[in-house]
Structure formats: C-alpha cells, structure tokens
Amino acid sequence: MSFFPYAVAAWVFFAGLYGVATSKHLVHMIVSLSVVQSSTYILLIAVGYRIGSGAPIFIDLPPSRKPAVDAIVQALSLTDIVVSAATTALLLAIATQVWRLKNQVDPDSLRSRKS
Amino acid sequence: MHLIPLALALPLAGAGVLVLLSRPPLARLANVVAVGVGVATAAVCGYVFDKVLHGGMLVYWFGAWNPATHVGIGIDFAVDATGAAAALLAAVIATLVILYSVEYYKDSGPLFNVLLLVFMGAACACFYTGDLFDLFVFFELSNIATFALAAYKVQDETALDGALVFVIMNSIAAFAILFGLTLLEGYTDQLNLATIGQYLSVHPMQAVAVAAFALATCGFFLRSALVPFHFWFADAQSSAPSPVCALFSAITVEIGLYAFARVYWAVFSGVFHPGDVLRDVFIGFGSFSAFSGAILAFGAHHLKRLVAYVTVSHIGVALVAVGLFNAQGMAAALLYMLAFSLSVSALILCVGAIVHMYGKADEVGLWGRGRRMPFVMVLFLISSLDAAGLPAIGTYVGRAMLLSVPSSGTLVWIAAVTLFTASVTGGALLKAVGAVWLGLGEPDPELTHAKKSQEKRSEEESDQPESRELGWHLLLPPAILCAAASVVPMLPQTRSIASRAAMEFVDRAHYYAMTVYGHATAVSATVPNTPDFAASTVWGVLALIACCLLALASLYQRRMGRLHSLAVALSKPIEMFERLHDGQVGDYVTWFVLGSALLGGLLFVSYK
C-alpha cells in the first residue's frame, strides 16, 4: 500500500479549502468546494485499490483468477458524486440569484446581518 | 419490527405525493396531506420507541442481508432506546413545524412542506442508522433539504447570504466526515459502526484512529454549532425562515451531537479509552461553547441571533455531559437535550409569530410592541425558563443529573458552567421579554439612531401590514412544545428511561453483539445516579436571581450612572467577539481549519 494517494487526497483537500477561504468570486468559491469534495473521490478509490487486481465486474465476464478491487468504495464514490451534483447545483442557483439581486459576485460583499 | 424503515420511507414518499399536489387548487389538500404524513411518521417512531423500550434494541437489515459471519456486508438500521427517542422527538417537532408553516407559508405553496418532509425522514434515519456511510448519506440528505429551506426566500438578499455561508460550511463539514470514514473503511474494510468498532479495538492503529476521529468530530461539531465551529450558525438562523430555524436549533444541532456520541461509543471507545485527558478535552470544548455562547447571547439585539447563541451555549453544556464519557453523563445529556430542544423550538416559533406580525425581529424596532400579544409573551417567558432550567422546570432535571455524576474532580467546574449558562442565557432571554413585550427601560440610543436611519432607507421595502391576525396554527405548536418542555422531562418515567437508554448506549460490546448476532447478554449495568435535586434547586434559584438582576440591569443601565459605565466597558470585548461573526465564508473556513488543527492535536495527545 502506497501512501502517495493519501498525500494527493490531503493536498487536494487543503488546496480546495484554501480556494474557498481566499476566493474573490462566488463561482470560483463553488468550484473550490467541488475540489474539496474531489479529494474524497481520490481517497475512496485509493482505499479500495489493490495492485494487480481487475475491475469488480462479475456478471458477464469470464471469471478471472485475479482478485478484484473493492466494489463498495466505487459505489460510494458514485453516491458522493450525486451529493456533489446536488450541492453544486443548489449553490450555483443561489449564486445566480445573488447576481440578479445585487449585481455582485464577490463573496466579501456578503453581509448576512445588518449591523 | 419491519415498520422501522417506514420512518424514512413514509416522509420521502409523502414528499413525492406532495409535489404532485403542488397545483394551487389542491393547496388545502396538500397541507392536510403534509400534516397527516408527519403525524403518521411520528406514530411509527412512537411505535418503534415503544417496541425498543420493551424488547431491547432492534436491528433491521435492508433486503434481509443479515451478517452471516462476523462481517456485516448489508446495511442496517440499529435502533436502541436513545436513537428511537431522539427520532421520536425529531418527528414530533418536525410535525409541529409543518403545522406551524401551514399558516406561515400560506402564499408559498406546498413545496416548503416537501422539503420539510424530506428533512424529517433524513433526520429520523440519522438517528436510526447503524452504518457509517449511511450516516453520511442521511446527514447530507438532511443538509441538502435544509440548504434549500434556508434559501427559500430567494428574493431576500440576507437570506441568500446566510444560506450561502450555511451551505458551504456544512458541505465542508460533510466532506471532513466522509474523509474520516473513508480512512476507517480503508483500514478496516467495514462500514458498519459495530464491526468497525470491533476491528479497531482488536487491531488498534494510532494514525487511522486519530485522523478519522478528529475529522469526523470536527464535522459533527460544526453541525452542532460548537465554538469555534459555530460561526455560520447565527448567520443562518437570522436569515432563514423561522420554522426552519426551529429545525436548526431543535434537530440538526442534536443530530451533530448524537452522531458524535454514537460514533465515539460504537467505534472509537475501544481505542480512545475514556481517560482523564480525553475527558478534559471535550469538557474543555463544551465549556468554551457554553461560556462564549452565553456571552454572545447577552450581547445580541436580534431575537433570532439571540436564540442561536443561546443554542450554542446550551449545546456546550450538553457536550460537557457527553464528555464525561460515562453512562451517568450520557443520561444527563439525554434529559438536558430533550428539555432544551423542546423549549428552544417553542422560543423560535414565538419569535416567528412576532416576525409574522411585525416583519422584523430586532429588539430595538420591537421595543414594547409585543403588548398586543400577551399569549406569545407567556409562552416565550415559560420557554425561556424551561431552556435555562429555572428554578425547577425544563433542563432542571438534566442539570440535577449532571451535578450528581460521580467524578468529583470536575464537579465544581461543571457546576460553574451550568450556573453561568443558566443565568446569562436566562438573563438574555428575560431581557428580550422585558424589552419586546413589557417595554421596560429604554433602547440603546445609538442603536435606535442607526435603526431609524436604516429604516428611512428601506421604508419602501417594509410594506408589512401591522394588523395581521395570529392564526391558531401559529400559537398551538409553540404552546404544545412549551408545555411538553415543562412537563415531559420532569416525569420520573422519563428519568428512568434516560438512565437505561444511556447504559445501553455506552456499552460497545452489547451494541456489537446485538448488531452481529441479534442477541446479547444484558447490558452491563452501572448504578444509575440519583439526581441531585437539592443542588439543582439551589443553582436554579441562584441563577434565577442572577438572571433577573442581569436582565433588569441591562434594561435600565442608562439610569444607573456608575453601572452604566461598567456595562459600556464590558460590552466592548463582547462587541469585538460578535464582530468576528462577519458573514465572510473565508474567515469561517479559516476558523474551521484552526479548530480542526487544535482538536486533532489534542486527540493525538490523548490517544493511549
């Protein structure tokens, strides 16, 4: 088991967080959030991977002698992508609405309370 | 037993039906259906609770994928008394909120209720599930439903700003949880809470345990609005519609704390033994929340922000109880959260009634205007006392249990935390009663001035009619919640159920055996503590006096020369603290990273 994929996942996670924290544009911020989430795809695929094993397809292929990679985490990453699509769609809808109301896409202009 | 999945399936199916009914002529029918589905779900939850209470923990494997060996490949709902009770509470509160929003959202159509039902199903499933990945999925499902609910008023800029902060912070929390659970899955090849816990306790590994526990805990703490992960909470609360705020404070926050306790006891208690260091870490986090939340609440002028900070403070006290890491502490936490979620939802629904009448929720603008709503005042006042446990209702029993937990070293500290929280949050709420309903004292002249100029600017926008009628939909739910908060926690049955539920909750071997084998020996019993009613009463009376004094002092501060200058001096640091809640996502993310680093470091130290 190599530690390289874990390092990549952690790097992508923090790169995304850095993007969210320093963003100057709402769409950029939303994409950065997707980057944070992408790190979990990498991690999910990485933990299920076994060197030298085949795809986890057992139905219409001749049974191979090789072991298969973990099918569960691949299903989990699909679920994860669905979640990501829902969140991103909702956020983009909010962002377009903010643009429509305020002509403003800079997150620094957000003031959720009136002083 | 096969009724268990209905707690999830009913509201989701109901939501689907409701979408079909969203045409205007059917709106009345849609409301009836929404309330009916809510009541049916609550009935299912009640049935499951009753079953669990009499027959012990229930485990339901979807598709009958029972574990053949020690490995559970299937997905299960593992319902113990704690989970069943929490789901029942969530279903009841959500149903009352649906009833409430019939009136509140008369014009907006039933889509609001569709989201409420989805949220309700997801919340029940969060409390029932015994699978780590499903916990994440239902957590996200409840998240996405609340995201859409928070942004429901799409024409309102502040609602959008609050929703954006809310969505981004909670998504980051969910990713942190997912990251942690993936590490666990990679190491143990399991996703079931019980089997992961068993594997970890047999093959402990520090790096995985610390990283996974820290990441998951940060995610759960963000959801339960604990300092320093709480920044999004007040922003979301002050901008979201009131019925949604009630869900935030009374259900989502509890889901976070419950998930933390569940994951700790089912998974990590085998490797993170409840030692002194671990106890200090979480009692520390809880106390910090309790103190900061109370101080912020006292400085708040917006009623919804006020209630949000009161929530932060009380959830901190509940974390202190959970952080004792024993059955007695857990029982205290259960009773405390039961009383608090009921009373805080009543508080928010009362605020919602005011917003409905006057279209605003800030103390200055509402000064003395609540005189026309005496019934709402009575409800708000009683719920405030319930929330603070003064002198002997609501959270009083939870505090009595907490003060009698046998861990002498920290007892003085815990007493101080509960006393401070009860008096300062109670003072803040009573101050609001005095200002909004009784019109005592006078508002801060600076704030009034700022308000006036602001109102001049937005005069055209505020076209809220002042002569709205309060329908029974708006009064009945808070009245029920307020009565329940005063009565239910006081019943001796509730106390004994909580003690038993907590013993079952903290017994990892029992949870594992019930999940994997379907039967287990009796729960390893700890002696239930007899609540220290004397201490709690003394504290209650002291806190009541303190909070009345605080409320009066802050209302009449401008008439008390020297006290006024003291108050001004004290309010400076509070204002600076409040100013950190600036609505900037970037700052909040930075706080999240700092808090996670702190928690991760502390957990690394406390691992043994």
Side-chain angles (χ1 to χ4, degrees):
Chain A
M1 187 174 73
S2 155
F3 280 94
F4 184 60
Y6 296 88
V8 172
W11 167 254
V12 174
F13 190 88
F14 283 106
L17 275 188
Y18 178 80
V20 176
T22 59
S23 179
K24 292 287 166 218
H25 193 292
L26 280 178
V27 175
H28 172 266
M29 180 179 269
I30 294 164
V31 173
S32 302
L33 193 71
S34 306
V35 171
V36 180
Q37 186 153 22
S38 306
S39 73
T40 60
Y41 311 152
I42 299 173
L43 191 68
L44 277 166
I45 300 300
V47 300
Y49 185 70
R50 300 284 177 277
I51 291 170
S53 46
I57 302 169
F58 306 110
I59 304 258
D60 52 354
L61 288 183
S64 62
R65 285 272 163 138
K66 286 195 298 185
V69 298
D70 190 348
I72 291 180
V73 286
Q74 304 202 345
L76 300 191
S77 53
L78 275 180
T79 315
D80 194 8
I81 291 169
V82 172
V83 168
S84 155
T87 317
T88 310
L90 196 72
L91 276 169
L92 286 173
I94 296 178
T96 45
Q97 192 65 19
V98 169
W99 169 252
R100 209 170 288 160
L101 289 179
K102 296 203 273 195
N103 253 8
Q104 188 61 270
V105 282
D106 186 354
D108 287 347
S109 73
L110 298 182
R111 275 278 176 273
S112 51
R113 70 206 172 94
K114 293 170 183 153
S115 51
Chain B
M1 155 156 205
H2 294 295
L3 283 181
I4 296 176
L6 277 185
L8 170 65
L10 258 184
L12 288 188
V17 172
L18 219 54
V19 173
L20 296 178
L21 296 178
S22 61
R23 291 292 174 81
L26 297 168
R28 191 168 274 273
L29 178 66
N31 284 333
V32 175
V33 170
V35 175
V37 171
V39 171
T41 311
V44 169
C45 291
Y47 175 78
V48 171
F49 180 58
D50 184 61
K51 273 270 200 188
V52 170
L53 219 50
H54 294 108
M57 191 171 146
L58 292 176
V59 182
Y60 176 83
W61 292 92
F62 283 87
W65 280 59
N66 299 327
T69 55
H70 301 294
V71 182
I73 292 183
I75 294 170
D76 67 330
F77 270 180
V79 188
D80 66 354
T82 309
L88 176 60
L89 182 67
V92 169
I93 293 178
T95 306
L96 288 171
V97 167
I98 293 175
L99 182 63
Y100 182 87
S101 50
V102 166
E103 177 83 21
Y104 201 85
Y105 272 86
K106 217 180 235 166
D107 324 319
S108 62
L111 289 179
F112 192 73
N113 285 337
V114 171
L115 291 167
L116 282 178
L117 283 178
V118 171
F119 171 79
M120 183 180 185
C124 290
C126 278
F127 290 124
Y128 280 176
T129 191
D131 187 277
L132 195 52
F133 190 75
D134 270 25
L135 184 61
F136 163 74
V137 170
F138 293 130
F139 201 77
E140 262 308 273
L141 184 61
S142 73
N143 261 347
I144 289 175
T146 41
F147 294 167
L149 283 169
Y152 202 78
K153 295 185 285 187
V154 284
Q155 297 304 328
D156 181 355
E157 289 173 21
T158 38
L160 291 177
D161 293 351
L164 206 73
V165 171
F166 171 57
V167 179
I168 289 183
M169 291 317 292
N170 277 277
S171 301
I172 290 173
F175 304 152
I177 295 168
L178 181 61
F179 212 94
L181 84 88
T182 309
L183 290 177
L184 277 182
E185 140 81 31
Y187 178 61
T188 64
D189 280 331
Q190 322 259 359
L191 279 171
N192 192 287
L193 289 173
T195 50
I196 295 177
Q198 186 66 15
Y199 188 93
L200 261 189
S201 67
V202 179
H203 313 273
M205 179 171 167
Q206 185 178 14
V208 170
V210 170
F213 191 33
L215 283 164
T217 304
C218 292
F220 293 139
F221 278 10
L222 190 136
R223 199 79 222 259
S224 41
L226 284 153
V227 178
F229 306 110
H230 71 291
F231 285 93
W232 60 277
F233 191 62
D235 291 345
Q237 284 273 43
S238 57
S239 60
S242 310
V244 182
C245 296
L247 299 181
F248 287 161
S249 268
I251 303 177
T252 65
V253 161
E254 280 67 16
I255 292 178
L257 193 66
Y258 170 86
F260 164 71
R262 170 64 78 205
V263 166
Y264 172 77
W265 283 109
V267 175
F268 293 105
S269 59
V271 279
F272 278 98
H273 299 293
D276 282 342
V277 185
L278 194 68
R279 209 167 278 159
D280 289 348
V281 168
F282 286 102
I283 291 180
F285 262 88
S287 320
F288 192 47
S289 269
F291 287 128
S292 350
I295 291 170
L296 286 167
F298 202 72
H301 296 289
H302 188 285
L303 287 180
K304 284 182 171 177
R305 286 188 91 85
L306 166 69
V307 180
Y309 290 134
V310 168
T311 309
V312 171
S313 177
H314 281 280
I315 201 86
V317 176
L319 178 64
V320 168
V322 172
L324 288 165
F325 292 121
N326 54 28
Q328 292 93 342
M330 194 64 210
L334 292 179
L335 284 168
Y336 199 89
M337 280 331 294
L338 168 70
F340 181 70
S341 6
L342 288 169
S343 51
V344 79
S345 46
L347 282 175
I348 293 176
L349 295 187
C350 288
V351 174
I354 301 172
V355 175
H356 184 74
M357 283 283 275
Y358 296 109
K360 52 188 156 191
D362 62 305
E363 271 177 21
V364 178
L366 289 168
W367 209 276
R369 295 174 93 165
R371 283 205 187 93
R372 286 167 50 198
M373 329 164 71
F375 184 62
V376 179
M377 178 188 85
V378 173
L379 287 183
F380 193 90
L381 183 64
I382 298 176
S383 313
S384 307
L385 296 178
D386 276 333
L390 304 177
I393 44 172
T395 55
Y396 164 78
V397 184
R399 188 175 58 221
M401 294 284 267
L402 188 55
L403 290 175
S404 66
V405 170
S407 64
S408 51
T410 48
L411 198 58
V412 180
W413 177 250
I414 292 173
V417 172
T418 53
L419 184 63
F420 187 84
T421 299
S423 16
V424 179
T425 60
L429 289 166
L430 288 189
K431 187 187 80 173
V433 172
V436 173
W437 279 279
L438 303 175
L440 299 176
E442 62 208 76
D444 191 334
E446 279 176 40
L447 281 172
T448 323
H449 185 70
K451 187 73 205 158
K452 284 243 172 75
S453 58
Q454 196 184 38
E455 259 174 15
K456 230 172 253 169
R457 261 184 281 132
S458 59
E459 222 160 4
E460 287 139 37
E461 293 167 29
S462 62
D463 52 353
Q464 290 281 348
E466 293 228 344
S467 56
R468 284 195 177 188
E469 285 299 308
L470 282 181
W472 63 274
H473 294 108
L474 291 179
L475 295 176
L476 184 66
I480 295 175
L481 290 166
C482 171
S486 316
V487 175
V488 176
M490 307 301 293
L491 302 173
Q493 290 96 320
T494 316
R495 208 163 64 229
S496 68
I497 290 171
S499 291
R500 266 175 45 207
M503 273 177 225
E504 199 181 344
F505 194 87
V506 302
D507 192 339
R508 192 173 56 80
H510 179 80
Y511 186 80
Y512 176 72
M514 284 304 282
T515 306
V516 175
Y517 307 116
H519 55 83
T521 48
V523 175
S524 63
T526 25
V527 188
N529 45 335
T530 35
D532 193 345
F533 285 122
S536 191
T537 312
V538 171
W539 271 180
V541 172
L542 280 181
L544 185 62
I545 297 169
C547 77
C548 290
L549 288 179
L550 274 174
L552 287 176
S554 105
L555 285 170
Y556 287 105
Q557 51 171 300
R558 264 162 291 282
R559 297 199 195 157
M560 312 183 195
R562 205 172 294 164
L563 194 74
H564 181 49
S565 44
L566 179 70
V568 170
L570 276 177
S571 68
K572 283 273 143 39
I574 300 180
E575 244 170 61
M576 276 167 66
F577 193 14
E578 164 72 23
R579 212 163 289 155
L580 288 178
H581 304 66
D582 55 1
Q584 307 281 313
V585 179
D587 295 358
Y588 294 179
V589 171
T590 314
W591 282 109
F592 175 77
V593 173
L594 291 178
S596 318
L598 176 67
L599 188 66
L602 288 172
L603 286 177
F604 185 78
V605 174
S606 62
Y607 181 90
K608 56 178 173 194

